[in-house]
Coordinates of all heavy atoms in Angstrom, one line a residue:
M13 N 33.1 60.2 6.4 CA 32.0 59.7 7.2 C 30.7 60.4 6.9 O 29.7 59.8 6.8 CB 32.5 59.9 8.7 CG 31.4 59.5 9.6 SD 31.8 57.8 10.1 CE 31.0 57.7 11.6
R14 N 30.8 61.7 6.7 CA 29.6 62.5 6.4 C 29.0 62.1 5.1 O 27.8 62.0 4.9 CB 29.9 64.0 6.4 CG 30.1 64.5 7.8 CD 30.3 66.0 7.7 NE 30.7 66.5 9.0 CZ 31.3 67.7 9.2 NH1 31.5 68.5 8.2 NH2 31.5 68.1 10.4
R15 N 29.9 61.9 4.1 CA 29.5 61.5 2.8 C 28.8 60.1 2.8 O 27.8 59.9 2.2 CB 30.7 61.4 1.9 CG 30.4 61.3 0.4 CD 31.6 61.3 -0.5 NE 32.1 62.7 -0.5 CZ 33.3 63.0 -1.1 NH1 34.0 62.1 -1.7 NH2 33.7 64.2 -1.1
T16 N 29.3 59.2 3.6 CA 28.7 57.9 3.7 C 27.4 58.0 4.4 O 26.4 57.3 4.0 CB 29.6 56.9 4.5 OG1 30.9 56.9 3.9 CG2 29.1 55.5 4.6
T17 N 27.3 58.7 5.4 CA 26.0 58.9 6.1 C 25.0 59.6 5.2 O 23.8 59.2 5.1 CB 26.2 59.8 7.4 OG1 27.2 59.2 8.2 CG2 24.9 60.0 8.1
A18 N 25.4 60.6 4.5 CA 24.5 61.3 3.5 C 24.0 60.3 2.4 O 22.8 60.3 2.0 CB 25.1 62.5 2.9
L19 N 24.9 59.5 1.9 CA 24.6 58.5 0.9 C 23.6 57.5 1.4 O 22.6 57.2 0.8 CB 25.8 57.8 0.4 CG 25.7 56.8 -0.7 CD1 25.1 57.5 -2.0 CD2 27.0 56.2 -1.1
L20 N 23.8 57.0 2.6 CA 22.9 56.0 3.2 C 21.5 56.6 3.5 O 20.5 56.0 3.3 CB 23.5 55.4 4.5 CG 24.7 54.5 4.3 CD1 25.3 54.1 5.7 CD2 24.2 53.2 3.6
L21 N 21.5 57.9 4.0 CA 20.3 58.5 4.3 C 19.5 58.8 3.0 O 18.3 58.6 3.0 CB 20.6 59.9 5.0 CG 19.3 60.6 5.5 CD1 18.5 59.8 6.4 CD2 19.8 61.9 6.2
T22 N 20.2 59.2 1.9 CA 19.5 59.4 0.7 C 18.9 58.1 0.1 O 17.8 58.1 -0.4 CB 20.5 60.0 -0.3 OG1 21.1 61.2 0.2 CG2 19.9 60.3 -1.7
S23 N 19.7 57.1 0.2 CA 19.2 55.8 -0.2 C 18.0 55.3 0.6 O 17.0 54.8 0.0 CB 20.3 54.7 -0.1 OG 19.9 53.5 -0.4
L24 N 18.0 55.5 1.9 CA 16.9 55.2 2.7 C 15.7 56.0 2.4 O 14.5 55.4 2.3 CB 17.3 55.4 4.2 CG 16.2 55.0 5.2 CD1 15.9 53.5 5.2 CD2 16.7 55.4 6.6
L25 N 15.8 57.3 2.2 CA 14.7 58.1 1.8 C 14.1 57.8 0.5 O 12.9 57.7 0.3 CB 15.1 59.6 1.9 CG 15.3 60.2 3.3 CD1 15.9 61.6 3.1 CD2 14.1 60.1 4.1
A26 N 15.0 57.4 -0.5 CA 14.5 57.0 -1.8 C 13.7 55.7 -1.7 O 12.7 55.6 -2.4 CB 15.6 56.9 -2.8
S27 N 14.2 54.8 -0.9 CA 13.5 53.5 -0.7 C 12.1 53.7 -0.1 O 11.1 53.1 -0.5 CB 14.3 52.6 0.1 OG 15.5 52.3 -0.5
A28 N 12.0 54.6 0.9 CA 10.8 54.9 1.6 C 9.8 55.5 0.6 O 8.6 55.2 0.6 CB 11.0 55.8 2.8
A29 N 10.3 56.4 -0.3 CA 9.4 57.1 -1.2 C 8.8 56.1 -2.2 O 7.7 56.1 -2.6 CB 10.2 58.2 -2.0
V30 N 9.7 55.1 -2.7 CA 9.2 54.1 -3.6 C 8.1 53.2 -2.9 O 7.1 52.9 -3.6 CB 10.4 53.2 -4.1 CG1 9.9 52.0 -4.8 CG2 11.3 54.0 -5.0
L31 N 8.3 52.9 -1.7 CA 7.3 52.1 -1.0 C 6.1 52.8 -0.7 O 5.0 52.3 -0.7 CB 7.9 51.5 0.3 CG 9.0 50.5 0.2 CD1 9.6 50.2 1.5 CD2 8.5 49.3 -0.5
A32 N 6.2 54.1 -0.4 CA 5.0 54.9 -0.1 C 4.2 55.3 -1.3 O 3.0 55.5 -1.2 CB 5.4 56.2 0.7
A33 N 4.8 55.4 -2.5 CA 4.1 55.9 -3.7 C 2.9 55.0 -4.1 O 1.8 55.5 -4.3 CB 5.1 56.0 -4.9
P34 N 3.1 53.7 -4.2 CA 1.9 52.8 -4.5 C 0.8 53.0 -3.5 O -0.4 52.9 -3.8 CB 2.5 51.4 -4.5 CG 3.9 51.6 -4.7 CD 4.3 52.9 -4.1
T35 N 1.2 53.1 -2.2 CA 0.1 53.2 -1.2 C -0.7 54.5 -1.3 O -1.9 54.5 -1.2 CB 0.8 53.2 0.2 OG1 1.6 52.1 0.3 CG2 -0.2 53.2 1.3
A36 N 0.0 55.6 -1.7 CA -0.7 56.9 -1.9 C -1.7 56.7 -3.2 O -2.8 57.2 -3.1 CB 0.2 58.0 -2.1
A37 N -1.2 56.1 -4.2 CA -2.0 55.9 -5.4 C -3.2 55.0 -5.1 O -4.3 55.2 -5.6 CB -1.2 55.3 -6.5
E38 N -3.0 53.9 -4.3 CA -4.1 53.1 -4.0 C -5.1 53.8 -3.1 O -6.3 53.6 -3.3 CB -3.6 51.8 -3.2 CG -2.8 50.9 -4.1 CD -2.1 49.8 -3.3 OE1 -2.2 49.8 -2.1 OE2 -1.4 49.0 -3.9
A39 N -4.7 54.7 -2.2 CA -5.6 55.4 -1.4 C -6.4 56.4 -2.2 O -7.7 56.5 -2.0 CB -4.8 56.3 -0.4
R40 N -5.8 57.0 -3.3 CA -6.6 57.9 -4.2 C -7.6 57.0 -4.9 O -8.8 57.4 -5.1 CB -5.7 58.6 -5.1 CG -5.1 59.9 -4.5 CD -4.5 60.7 -5.6 NE -3.5 60.0 -6.4 CZ -2.2 59.9 -6.1 NH1 -1.7 60.3 -5.0 NH2 -1.4 59.2 -6.9
A41 N -7.2 55.9 -5.4 CA -8.1 55.0 -6.2 C -9.3 54.6 -5.4 O -10.4 54.5 -5.9 CB -7.3 53.9 -6.8
S42 N -9.0 54.2 -4.1 CA -10.1 53.7 -3.3 C -11.1 54.8 -2.9 O -12.3 54.6 -2.8 CB -9.6 53.0 -2.1 OG -8.9 53.9 -1.2
A43 N -10.6 56.1 -2.8 CA -11.4 57.2 -2.5 C -12.3 57.5 -3.7 O -13.5 57.9 -3.6 CB -10.6 58.4 -2.2
D44 N -11.8 57.4 -5.0 CA -12.6 57.6 -6.2 C -13.6 56.5 -6.5 O -14.6 56.7 -7.0 CB -11.6 57.8 -7.4 CG -10.8 59.0 -7.3 OD1 -11.1 59.9 -6.5 OD2 -9.7 59.0 -7.9
N45 N -13.2 55.3 -6.1 CA -14.1 54.1 -6.4 C -14.1 53.2 -5.2 O -13.5 52.2 -5.2 CB -13.5 53.4 -7.6 CG -14.4 52.4 -8.2 OD1 -15.6 52.3 -7.8 ND2 -13.9 51.5 -9.1
P46 N -14.9 53.6 -4.2 CA -15.0 52.7 -3.0 C -15.6 51.4 -3.3 O -16.4 51.2 -4.2 CB -15.9 53.5 -2.0 CG -16.5 54.5 -2.9 CD -15.7 54.7 -4.1
T47 N -15.1 50.4 -2.6 CA -15.6 49.0 -2.9 C -16.6 48.5 -1.9 O -16.5 47.4 -1.4 CB -14.4 48.1 -3.0 OG1 -13.6 48.2 -1.7 CG2 -13.5 48.4 -4.1
T48 N -17.5 49.4 -1.4 CA -18.5 48.9 -0.5 C -19.6 48.2 -1.2 O -19.9 48.4 -2.3 CB -19.1 50.1 0.3 OG1 -19.7 51.0 -0.7 CG2 -18.1 50.9 1.1
G49 N -20.1 47.2 -0.5 CA -21.2 46.4 -1.1 C -20.7 45.3 -1.9 O -19.5 45.1 -2.1
S50 N -21.7 44.5 -2.4 CA -21.3 43.4 -3.3 C -22.4 43.1 -4.3 O -23.6 43.4 -4.1 CB -21.0 42.1 -2.4 OG -22.2 41.7 -1.8
C51 N -22.0 42.5 -5.4 CA -23.0 42.2 -6.5 C -22.7 40.8 -6.9 O -21.5 40.3 -6.9 CB -22.8 43.1 -7.6 SG -23.2 44.9 -7.3
V52 N -23.7 40.1 -7.3 CA -23.6 38.8 -7.9 C -24.5 38.8 -9.2 O -25.4 39.5 -9.3 CB -24.1 37.6 -7.0 CG1 -23.2 37.5 -5.8 CG2 -25.6 37.8 -6.6
A53 N -24.0 37.9 -10.1 CA -24.8 37.8 -11.4 C -24.9 36.3 -11.7 O -24.0 35.5 -11.4 CB -24.0 38.5 -12.5
Y54 N -26.1 35.9 -12.2 CA -26.3 34.5 -12.5 C -27.4 34.4 -13.6 O -28.2 35.3 -13.8 CB -26.8 33.7 -11.3 CG -28.0 34.3 -10.6 CD1 -29.3 33.8 -11.0 CD2 -28.0 35.2 -9.7 CE1 -30.4 34.2 -10.4 CE2 -29.1 35.7 -9.1 CZ -30.3 35.2 -9.4 OH -31.5 35.7 -8.8
P55 N -27.3 33.3 -14.4 CA -28.3 33.1 -15.5 C -29.5 32.4 -14.9 O -29.4 31.6 -14.0 CB -27.6 32.2 -16.5 CG -26.6 31.5 -15.7 CD -26.2 32.4 -14.5
S56 N -30.7 32.8 -15.4 CA -31.9 32.1 -15.0 C -32.8 32.0 -16.2 O -33.6 32.9 -16.5 CB -32.6 33.0 -13.9 OG -33.8 32.4 -13.5
G57 N -32.7 30.9 -17.0 CA -33.5 30.7 -18.2 C -33.0 31.8 -19.2 O -31.9 31.9 -19.5
P58 N -34.0 32.5 -19.7 CA -33.6 33.6 -20.7 C -33.2 34.9 -20.1 O -33.0 35.9 -20.8 CB -35.0 33.8 -21.5 CG -36.0 33.5 -20.5 CD -35.4 32.4 -19.6
F59 N -33.0 34.9 -18.8 CA -32.7 36.2 -18.1 C -31.3 36.1 -17.5 O -30.9 35.1 -17.0 CB -33.6 36.5 -17.0 CG -35.1 36.7 -17.4 CD1 -36.0 35.7 -17.3 CD2 -35.4 37.9 -18.0 CE1 -37.3 35.8 -17.7 CE2 -36.7 38.1 -18.4 CZ -37.7 37.0 -18.3
G60 N -30.6 37.2 -17.6 CA -29.3 37.4 -16.8 C -29.8 38.2 -15.6 O -30.3 39.3 -15.8
V61 N -29.5 37.8 -14.4 CA -30.0 38.4 -13.3 C -28.8 39.0 -12.5 O -27.8 38.3 -12.3 CB -30.8 37.5 -12.3 CG1 -31.3 38.2 -11.1 CG2 -32.0 36.9 -13.1
G62 N -28.9 40.2 -12.0 CA -27.8 40.8 -11.2 C -28.5 41.3 -9.9 O -29.5 41.9 -10.0
V63 N -27.8 41.1 -8.8 CA -28.3 41.5 -7.5 C -27.2 42.2 -6.8 O -26.1 41.6 -6.6 CB -28.9 40.3 -6.6 CG1 -29.4 40.8 -5.3 CG2 -29.9 39.5 -7.4
C64 N -27.4 43.4 -6.3 CA -26.4 44.2 -5.6 C -27.0 44.6 -4.2 O -28.2 45.0 -4.1 CB -26.0 45.4 -6.3 SG -25.1 45.1 -7.8
S65 N -26.2 44.5 -3.2 CA -26.6 45.0 -1.9 C -25.4 45.6 -1.2 O -24.2 45.3 -1.5 CB -27.1 43.8 -1.0 OG -26.0 42.9 -0.8
G66 N -25.7 46.6 -0.3 CA -24.7 47.3 0.4 C -24.0 48.4 -0.4 O -23.0 49.0 0.1
L67 N -24.6 48.8 -1.5 CA -24.0 49.9 -2.3 C -24.5 51.2 -1.8 O -25.6 51.3 -1.2 CB -24.5 49.7 -3.8 CG -24.0 48.5 -4.6 CD1 -24.5 48.5 -6.0 CD2 -22.5 48.5 -4.6
E68 N -23.8 52.2 -2.1 CA -24.3 53.6 -1.8 C -25.5 53.9 -2.7 O -25.6 53.4 -3.8 CB -23.2 54.6 -2.1 CG -22.0 54.4 -1.2 CD -21.0 55.5 -1.4 OE1 -21.4 56.7 -1.7 OE2 -19.8 55.3 -1.2
P69 N -26.5 54.6 -2.2 CA -27.7 54.9 -2.9 C -27.5 55.5 -4.3 O -28.4 55.4 -5.1 CB -28.5 55.8 -2.0 CG -27.9 55.6 -0.6 CD -26.5 55.2 -0.8
R70 N -26.4 56.3 -4.5 CA -26.2 56.9 -5.8 C -25.2 56.2 -6.7 O -24.9 56.7 -7.7 CB -25.7 58.3 -5.6 CG -26.7 59.2 -4.8 CD -26.2 60.6 -4.6 NE -25.1 60.6 -3.7 CZ -23.9 61.2 -3.8 NH1 -23.7 62.0 -4.9 NH2 -23.0 61.1 -3.0
R71 N -24.8 55.0 -6.3 CA -23.9 54.2 -7.1 C -24.7 53.5 -8.3 O -25.7 52.9 -8.1 CB -23.3 53.1 -6.2 CG -22.4 52.1 -7.0 CD -21.1 52.6 -7.5 NE -20.3 52.9 -6.4 CZ -19.1 53.5 -6.5 NH1 -18.7 53.8 -7.7 NH2 -18.4 53.7 -5.4
A72 N -24.2 53.8 -9.5 CA -24.8 53.3 -10.7 C -24.3 51.9 -11.1 O -23.1 51.6 -10.9 CB -24.6 54.3 -11.9
W73 N -25.2 51.1 -11.6 CA -24.8 49.7 -12.0 C -25.8 49.2 -13.0 O -26.9 49.7 -13.1 CB -24.6 48.8 -10.8 CG -25.8 48.5 -10.0 CD1 -26.3 49.3 -9.0 CD2 -26.6 47.3 -10.2 NE1 -27.5 48.7 -8.5 CE2 -27.7 47.5 -9.2 CE3 -26.6 46.2 -11.0 CZ2 -28.7 46.5 -9.0 CZ3 -27.6 45.3 -10.8 CH2 -28.6 45.4 -9.8
S74 N -25.4 48.1 -13.7 CA -26.3 47.4 -14.6 C -25.8 46.0 -14.8 O -24.7 45.7 -14.4 CB -26.4 48.1 -16.0 OG -25.1 48.0 -16.6
V75 N -26.7 45.2 -15.3 CA -26.3 43.8 -15.6 C -26.4 43.5 -17.1 O -27.3 44.1 -17.8 CB -27.2 42.8 -14.8 CG1 -28.7 42.9 -15.3 CG2 -26.7 41.3 -15.0
S76 N -25.5 42.8 -17.6 CA -25.5 42.4 -19.1 C -25.4 40.9 -19.2 O -24.9 40.2 -18.3 CB -24.4 43.1 -19.8 OG -23.1 42.6 -19.3
A77 N -26.1 40.4 -20.2 CA -26.1 39.0 -20.5 C -25.7 38.7 -22.0 O -26.2 39.4 -22.9 CB -27.5 38.4 -20.2
K78 N -24.8 37.8 -22.2 CA -24.5 37.3 -23.5 C -25.4 36.1 -23.8 O -25.3 35.1 -23.0 CB -23.0 37.0 -23.6 CG -22.7 36.6 -25.1 CD -21.2 36.5 -25.3 CE -21.0 36.1 -26.7 NZ -19.7 36.5 -27.2
C79 N -26.2 36.2 -24.8 CA -27.1 35.2 -25.1 C -26.5 34.1 -26.0 O -25.5 34.4 -26.7 CB -28.4 35.8 -25.9 SG -29.1 37.2 -25.0
M80 N -27.1 32.9 -26.0 CA -26.6 31.8 -26.9 C -26.7 32.2 -28.3 O -26.0 31.7 -29.2 CB -27.4 30.5 -26.6 CG -27.2 30.0 -25.2 SD -25.6 29.2 -25.2 CE -25.7 28.4 -23.6
S81 N -27.7 33.1 -28.6 CA -27.8 33.6 -30.0 C -26.7 34.5 -30.5 O -26.6 34.8 -31.7 CB -29.2 34.3 -30.2 OG -29.1 35.5 -29.4
G82 N -25.8 34.9 -29.6 CA -24.7 35.8 -29.9 C -24.9 37.2 -29.6 O -24.0 38.0 -29.6
L83 N -26.2 37.6 -29.3 CA -26.5 39.0 -28.9 C -26.1 39.2 -27.4 O -26.0 38.3 -26.6 CB -28.0 39.3 -29.0 CG -28.6 39.3 -30.4 CD1 -30.1 39.4 -30.3 CD2 -28.0 40.4 -31.2
T84 N -25.7 40.5 -27.1 CA -25.5 40.9 -25.7 C -26.5 41.9 -25.4 O -26.7 42.9 -26.1 CB -24.1 41.5 -25.6 OG1 -23.1 40.5 -26.0 CG2 -23.8 41.9 -24.2
V85 N -27.3 41.7 -24.3 CA -28.3 42.6 -23.9 C -28.0 43.1 -22.5 O -27.3 42.5 -21.7 CB -29.7 41.9 -23.8 CG1 -30.2 41.5 -25.2 CG2 -29.7 40.7 -22.9
T86 N -28.4 44.4 -22.2 CA -28.1 45.0 -21.0 C -29.4 45.6 -20.3 O -30.3 46.0 -21.0 CB -27.1 46.2 -21.3 OG1 -26.0 45.7 -21.9 CG2 -26.7 46.9 -20.0
S87 N -29.4 45.5 -19.0 CA -30.6 46.0 -18.3 C -30.5 47.5 -18.3 O -29.5 48.1 -18.7 CB -30.5 45.5 -16.8 OG -29.5 46.2 -16.1
G88 N -31.5 48.1 -17.8 CA -31.5 49.6 -17.6 C -30.5 49.9 -16.4 O -30.1 49.0 -15.6
L89 N -30.2 51.2 -16.3 CA -29.3 51.6 -15.2 C -30.0 51.6 -13.9 O -31.2 52.0 -13.8 CB -28.9 53.1 -15.5 CG -27.8 53.7 -14.6 CD1 -26.5 52.9 -14.7 CD2 -27.7 55.1 -14.9
R90 N -29.4 51.1 -12.9 CA -29.9 51.0 -11.5 C -29.0 51.8 -10.6 O -27.9 52.0 -10.8 CB -29.9 49.6 -11.0 CG -30.7 48.6 -11.8 CD -32.2 48.9 -11.6 NE -33.1 47.9 -12.2 CZ -33.7 48.0 -13.3 NH1 -33.6 49.1 -14.0 NH2 -34.5 47.1 -13.8
L91 N -29.6 52.3 -9.5 CA -28.9 53.0 -8.5 C -29.1 52.4 -7.1 O -30.2 52.0 -6.8 CB -29.4 54.5 -8.4 CG -29.2 55.4 -9.6 CD1 -29.9 56.7 -9.4 CD2 -27.8 55.5 -9.9
G92 N -28.0 52.2 -6.4 CA -28.0 51.6 -5.1 C -28.4 50.1 -5.1 O -28.2 49.4 -6.1
D93 N -28.9 49.6 -4.0 CA -29.2 48.2 -3.9 C -30.4 47.8 -4.8 O -31.3 48.6 -5.1 CB -29.6 47.9 -2.5 CG -28.5 48.1 -1.5 OD1 -27.4 48.2 -1.9 OD2 -28.8 48.1 -0.3
G94 N -30.5 46.6 -5.2 CA -31.6 46.1 -6.0 C -31.3 44.9 -6.9 O -30.2 44.3 -6.8
T95 N -32.2 44.6 -7.8 CA -32.1 43.5 -8.7 C -32.4 44.1 -10.1 O -33.3 44.9 -10.3 CB -33.1 42.4 -8.4 OG1 -32.9 42.0 -7.0 CG2 -33.0 41.3 -9.3
A96 N -31.6 43.6 -11.1 CA -31.8 44.0 -12.5 C -31.8 42.7 -13.3 O -31.1 41.8 -13.0 CB -30.8 45.0 -12.9
T97 N -32.5 42.8 -14.4 CA -32.5 41.6 -15.4 C -32.2 42.1 -16.8 O -32.6 43.2 -17.2 CB -33.8 40.8 -15.3 OG1 -34.9 41.7 -15.7 CG2 -34.1 40.2 -14.0
A98 N -31.5 41.2 -17.5 CA -31.3 41.5 -18.9 C -32.0 40.3 -19.6 O -31.7 39.1 -19.3 CB -29.8 41.5 -19.3
N99 N -32.9 40.5 -20.6 CA -33.7 39.5 -21.2 C -33.2 39.1 -22.6 O -33.1 39.9 -23.5 CB -35.2 40.0 -21.3 CG -36.1 39.0 -21.7 OD1 -35.8 37.9 -22.2 ND2 -37.4 39.3 -21.6
C100 N -32.9 37.8 -22.7 CA -32.4 37.3 -24.0 C -33.6 36.8 -24.9 O -33.3 36.3 -25.9 CB -31.5 36.1 -23.7 SG -29.8 36.6 -23.2
G101 N -34.8 37.0 -24.4 CA -35.9 36.6 -25.3 C -36.1 35.1 -25.4 O -36.2 34.4 -24.4
N102 N -36.1 34.6 -26.6 CA -36.2 33.2 -26.8 C -34.9 32.4 -26.7 O -34.9 31.1 -26.7 CB -36.8 32.9 -28.2 CG -38.2 33.4 -28.4 OD1 -38.9 33.5 -27.4 ND2 -38.6 33.8 -29.6
S103 N -33.8 33.0 -26.5 CA -32.5 32.4 -26.3 C -32.2 32.2 -24.9 O -32.8 32.9 -24.0 CB -31.5 33.3 -27.0 OG -30.2 32.6 -27.0
R104 N -31.3 31.3 -24.6 CA -30.8 31.2 -23.2 C -29.6 32.0 -23.0 O -28.9 32.5 -23.9 CB -30.5 29.7 -22.9 CG -31.8 28.9 -23.0 CD -31.7 27.5 -22.5 NE -31.3 27.3 -21.1 CZ -32.1 27.4 -20.1 NH1 -33.3 27.7 -20.2 NH2 -31.6 27.2 -18.9
V105 N -29.2 32.2 -21.7 CA -28.1 33.0 -21.4 C -26.8 32.2 -21.4 O -26.7 31.1 -20.8 CB -28.3 33.7 -20.0 CG1 -27.1 34.4 -19.5 CG2 -29.5 34.6 -20.0
Y106 N -25.7 32.8 -22.0 CA -24.4 32.1 -22.0 C -23.6 32.6 -20.8 O -23.1 31.8 -20.1 CB -23.7 32.4 -23.3 CG -22.4 31.8 -23.5 CD1 -22.3 30.5 -23.6 CD2 -21.3 32.6 -23.6 CE1 -21.0 29.9 -23.7 CE2 -20.0 32.1 -23.7 CZ -19.9 30.7 -23.8 OH -18.7 30.1 -24.0
T107 N -23.5 33.9 -20.6 CA -22.8 34.5 -19.5 C -23.5 35.7 -19.0 O -24.2 36.4 -19.7 CB -21.3 34.9 -19.8 OG1 -21.3 35.9 -20.8 CG2 -20.5 33.7 -20.2
T108 N -23.3 36.0 -17.7 CA -23.9 37.2 -17.1 C -22.9 38.0 -16.3 O -22.0 37.3 -15.7 CB -25.1 36.8 -16.2 OG1 -26.0 36.0 -16.9 CG2 -25.8 37.9 -15.6
Q109 N -23.0 39.3 -16.3 CA -22.0 40.1 -15.6 C -22.6 41.4 -15.1 O -23.5 42.0 -15.8 CB -20.9 40.4 -16.6 CG -20.0 41.6 -16.3 CD -19.0 41.8 -17.4 OE1 -18.5 40.9 -18.0 NE2 -18.6 43.0 -17.5
V110 N -22.2 41.8 -13.9 CA -22.7 43.1 -13.4 C -21.6 44.1 -13.6 O -20.4 43.8 -13.4 CB -23.0 43.0 -11.8 CG1 -23.2 44.4 -11.2 CG2 -24.2 42.1 -11.6
S111 N -21.9 45.3 -14.1 CA -21.0 46.4 -14.3 C -21.3 47.5 -13.3 O -22.4 48.0 -13.3 CB -21.0 46.9 -15.7 OG -20.7 45.9 -16.6
I112 N -20.3 47.9 -12.5 CA -20.6 48.9 -11.5 C -20.0 50.2 -12.0 O -18.8 50.2 -12.4 CB -20.0 48.5 -10.1 CG1 -20.7 47.3 -9.7 CG2 -20.1 49.7 -9.2 CD1 -20.2 46.8 -8.3
G113 N -20.7 51.3 -12.0 CA -20.3 52.6 -12.5 C -20.0 53.5 -11.4 O -19.8 53.2 -10.2
P114 N -20.0 54.8 -11.7 CA -19.6 55.9 -10.7 C -20.8 56.2 -9.8 O -21.9 55.8 -9.9 CB -19.3 57.1 -11.6 CG -20.3 56.9 -12.8 CD -20.3 55.4 -13.0
I115 N -20.5 57.0 -8.8 CA -21.5 57.6 -7.9 C -22.0 58.8 -8.6 O -21.2 59.7 -9.0 CB -20.9 57.9 -6.5 CG1 -20.5 56.6 -5.8 CG2 -21.9 58.7 -5.7 CD1 -19.8 56.9 -4.5
L116 N -23.3 58.9 -8.8 CA -23.9 60.0 -9.5 C -24.2 61.1 -8.6 O -24.5 60.9 -7.4 CB -25.2 59.6 -10.3 CG -25.0 58.5 -11.3 CD1 -26.3 58.1 -11.9 CD2 -24.0 58.9 -12.4
P117 N -24.1 62.4 -9.1 CA -24.3 63.5 -8.2 C -25.8 63.6 -7.7 O -26.7 63.1 -8.3 CB -24.0 64.7 -9.0 CG -23.8 64.3 -10.4 CD -23.8 62.8 -10.4

């Protein structure tokens, strides 16, 4: 009886540890990279435009645009909320994307 109880208890504790491990990892990941705020990216003629709002003031981000000519251009680094553009020059924009980086000290 004791052996069966110990076996069941060990099995139960192992199952709880397996279920709790991803939750602890997710908590660490969200603390390192909080997902506050939102960003959108869209093409506008020869510009790739990125707009971010609700970001922490020290959160780094930029926008990049892949041009129809095959080049990929990137805006300068931005911090916090704002708008950034990547200029394809005489070419039109094929795709646009916002890249969010770390919180700077």
Side-chain angles (χ1 to χ4, degrees):
M13 180 93 157
R14 288 182 187 164
R15 191 177 289 173
T16 304
T17 304
L19 182 62
L20 289 174
L21 184 58
T22 302
S23 174
L24 181 63
L25 289 174
S27 298
V30 167
L31 292 174
T35 306
E38 289 170 3
R40 277 193 306 275
S42 66
D44 294 338
N45 191 12
T47 56
T48 58
S50 65
C51 297
V52 295
Y54 59 91
S56 179
F59 299 101
V61 180
V63 179
C64 291
S65 63
L67 296 179
E68 295 187 32
R70 296 178 295 132
R71 172 72 66 186
W73 64 278
S74 66
V75 64
S76 61
K78 182 167 181 159
C79 307
M80 293 284 189
S81 64
L83 293 174
T84 300
V85 293
T86 304
S87 72
L89 186 66
R90 299 288 188 258
L91 295 176
D93 296 346
T95 302
T97 57
N99 189 348
C100 283
N102 293 332
S103 183
R104 295 192 58 84
V105 174
Y106 181 66
T107 59
T108 305
Q109 160 182 329
V110 171
S111 299
I112 298 180
I115 295 177
L116 300 178

